[in-house]
Amino acid sequence: MASSSATARRARPGSTDSPSGAKRDAILRAAIDVFAERGYFNAQVADVARAAGVAAGTVYLYFHNKDHLLVSIFERSMRDGLAESRATVAELRDPRERLRRLARGHLARLGNDRNLAIVFQVELRQSTKFMERFSATLLRDYLGLIRAAIADGQQDGTFRTDIKATVAAKMLFGALDEMATNWILSARRYSLEADADAVVDLFVNGARAR
Amino acid sequence: MASSSATARRARPGSTDSPSGAKRDAILRAAIDVFAERGYFNAQVADVARAAGVAAGTVYLYFHNKDHLLVSIFERSMRDGLAESRATVAELRDPRERLRRLARGHLARLGNDRNLAIVFQVELRQSTKFMERFSATLLRDYLGLIRAAIADGQQDGTFRTDIKATVAAKMLFGALDEMATNWILSARRYSLEADADAVVDLFVNGARAR
DNA sequence: GGCTAATGAATGAACATTCATTCACCCATG
DNA sequence: CATGGGTGAATGAATGTTCATTCATTAGCC
């Protein structure tokens, strides 16, 4: 009943996933910037449209509604980030090195696009609805990569076996997340990626003097 | 010019800080529950009023506006939490033990009031406006306590001196924060406070096998 | 009876979404 | 090669709803 030609609404250019979608990209980029600037709930769809150089109604040719804009930003970035992370991990054997590269990648991605980082660290965490969606993918797949590296390290004797890989993974992720949030809120413009090594070092070696 | 009797609006019972404020407390408690349930932006002031058992207008006798409700929740909990943390820390000498008790206190406070935890971990992080306010106090004073414990530990030889206390403090905080967020989003009802020791142990000793 | 707290209906502004209309382009035809 | 009409993308003004906030009125108390 859904897509028979009887109900045929006018074909929409890229509601789901068009191949090129230059205009769709422009709207998405504008949404990242406007949401980062004003905050999701305070941003008006008309603002996004203006920033993208299109009319308000045009946004609805590419996205179902305002929510869908936020979700699309999330899914796109997530997809890209995870793919990159998987590729990075695939070619490394040493668990410590894997964690280091995952951390660098994570912070580099956010550090290279401040507005995207704001959307991820702040705007996306509004309401448990988004959080749960966020959590169901990022914290499953991405945390999974970290956990796997740690578990491998436990296998090969690099890491302690008396800690739970799951808890350790959450910890490392939390530490990175906090670095990103701090970076956003800080007036200083330091390199976020540079924090990665310090975090992984502390995670691996601990704070205790030896 | 602000508070001269010329401008004297009708005295409001507890706009800022009334001594007893039983009704104010009821409204604040209702706000925590309603915001946790529906999310700040989707919650209506009328919902809060209903949950508190008062009329919509009454909310405005105690709070300037909807924002002020969120800010008040934050400031009250913050004040209490910081006071408790300071008291805890004051009577302990060992840096490791201080960190452990700070962590336990942090997670216990959130673990004892799930709705408050939701407001803190999710709702309060909406828009950089709140985040900055959040950051300016929590991340200054609270992180300060953690940093001081770490710095003391560096002085007395407990902790490595080749790490920056500031970065380490952010890391530990981030790890705890992540535990709290995970706990909220998890369907399982485990004890959040129990995570504290694992986190501090990992922070102090690191993941590396020894 | 005078005072303040509390009420809740009414107000009005803000804004997501719709949709009738315009515009730009393509190509079949003479 | 010029024309025109068909197609669907794009527009943006209009709509309707959703609340935060106000305030004239009432209730309770000393």
Side-chain angles (χ1 to χ4, degrees):
Chain A
M1 75 171 95
S3 59
S4 83
S5 59
T7 62
R9 53 177 66 236
R10 183 179 294 170
R12 304 200 159 195
S15 242
T16 46
D17 268 296
S18 79
S20 68
K23 192 157 290 190
R24 187 176 199 270
D25 285 354
I27 293 171
L28 221 41
R29 181 68 238 173
I32 291 171
D33 295 336
V34 170
F35 291 168
E37 215 70 57
R38 309 203 205 305
Y40 176 74
F41 279 99
N42 297 313
Q44 292 166 225
V45 173
D47 294 334
V48 174
R50 197 175 318 113
V54 300
T58 305
V59 172
Y60 290 87
L61 296 178
Y62 293 90
F63 301 93
H64 304 314
N65 50 40
K66 196 184 171 186
D67 269 19
H68 188 49
L69 278 172
L70 195 53
V71 170
S72 296
I73 292 171
F74 168 63
E75 289 185 341
R76 150 102 75 106
S77 308
M78 211 55 238
R79 194 159 34 77
D80 294 354
L82 270 174
E84 205 180 303
S85 298
R86 288 215 185 81
T88 298
V89 155
E91 59 190 28
L92 291 173
R93 203 111 307 277
D94 178 37
R96 247 176 318 199
E97 190 55 22
R98 262 202 269 168
L99 291 183
R100 191 180 312 278
R101 298 287 288 279
L102 279 175
R104 276 194 201 151
H106 182 132
L107 296 189
R109 270 190 301 283
L110 294 174
N112 286 333
D113 187 343
R114 169 167 274 254
N115 282 343
L116 181 65
I118 292 175
V119 172
F120 256 79
Q121 300 301 118
V122 182
E123 303 308 325
L124 218 46
R125 320 234 168 157
Q126 320 207 323
S127 89
T128 33
K129 192 181 78 188
F130 279 123
M131 276 299 275
E132 269 152 13
R133 180 158 199 157
F134 182 79
S135 172
T137 56
L138 178 81
L139 290 197
R140 217 175 52 71
D141 295 343
Y142 189 77
L143 271 178
L145 287 180
I146 300 180
R147 183 176 49 236
I150 294 173
D152 285 358
Q154 289 181 310
Q155 285 288 325
D156 76 8
T158 307
F159 296 139
R160 294 160 60 187
T161 52
D162 65 334
I163 55 178
K164 278 189 271 189
T166 311
V167 174
K170 281 195 272 185
M171 236 194 101
L172 180 54
F173 176 80
L176 293 172
D177 202 56
E178 181 63 25
M179 296 298 144
T181 301
N182 259 272
W183 178 76
I184 283 169
L185 295 174
S186 168
R188 292 200 312 111
R189 283 298 179 278
Y190 55 93
S191 156
L192 176 57
E193 188 179 354
D195 278 346
D197 286 9
V199 168
V200 173
D201 168 62
L202 201 42
F203 174 79
V204 171
N205 295 311
R208 195 171 66 182
R210 53 195 70 252
Chain B
M1 78 171 87
S3 58
S4 84
S5 60
T7 63
R9 54 176 66 234
R10 183 181 295 170
R12 303 207 158 187
S15 242
T16 47
D17 269 295
S18 80
S20 67
K23 192 157 290 189
R24 187 177 198 272
D25 286 353
I27 294 170
L28 221 41
R29 180 68 240 173
I32 291 170
D33 295 336
V34 171
F35 290 168
E37 215 70 55
R38 310 205 204 304
Y40 176 74
F41 279 99
N42 297 313
Q44 293 164 223
V45 173
D47 294 335
V48 173
R50 195 174 318 113
V54 301
T58 306
V59 172
Y60 289 87
L61 297 177
Y62 294 89
F63 301 92
H64 303 315
N65 50 41
K66 195 185 173 188
D67 268 19
H68 188 48
L69 278 172
L70 195 52
V71 170
S72 297
I73 292 170
F74 168 63
E75 289 185 339
R76 148 102 76 106
S77 308
M78 212 55 238
R79 195 160 33 77
D80 295 354
L82 269 174
E84 206 180 303
S85 298
R86 288 216 184 81
T88 299
V89 155
E91 59 190 29
L92 291 172
R93 202 112 305 275
D94 178 37
R96 247 177 317 200
E97 189 57 22
R98 264 201 267 167
L99 291 183
R100 191 179 312 279
R101 298 287 288 281
L102 280 175
R104 277 194 200 152
H106 182 131
L107 295 189
R109 270 190 301 282
L110 294 174
N112 286 333
D113 187 343
R114 171 168 272 257
N115 282 344
L116 181 65
I118 292 176
V119 172
F120 256 79
Q121 299 302 118
V122 181
E123 303 307 325
L124 218 45
R125 319 234 167 156
Q126 319 207 325
S127 89
T128 35
K129 193 181 75 185
F130 279 124
M131 277 299 275
E132 270 153 11
R133 180 158 200 156
F134 183 78
S135 172
T137 56
L138 179 81
L139 290 197
R140 216 174 51 73
D141 294 345
Y142 189 77
L143 269 178
L145 287 180
I146 300 180
R147 184 176 49 236
I150 294 172
D152 285 357
Q154 290 181 308
Q155 285 289 325
D156 75 7
T158 307
F159 296 138
R160 293 159 60 186
T161 52
D162 65 333
I163 55 177
K164 277 190 272 186
T166 311
V167 173
K170 280 195 273 187
M171 241 195 95
L172 180 53
F173 177 80
L176 292 172
D177 202 56
E178 181 64 25
M179 296 298 144
T181 301
N182 259 273
W183 179 75
I184 284 169
L185 295 174
S186 168
R188 292 200 311 113
R189 283 298 180 278
Y190 55 93
S191 157
L192 176 57
E193 188 179 354
D195 277 348
D197 285 9
V199 168
V200 173
D201 168 62
L202 200 42
F203 175 77
V204 170
N205 296 310
R208 193 172 67 182
R210 54 195 69 256

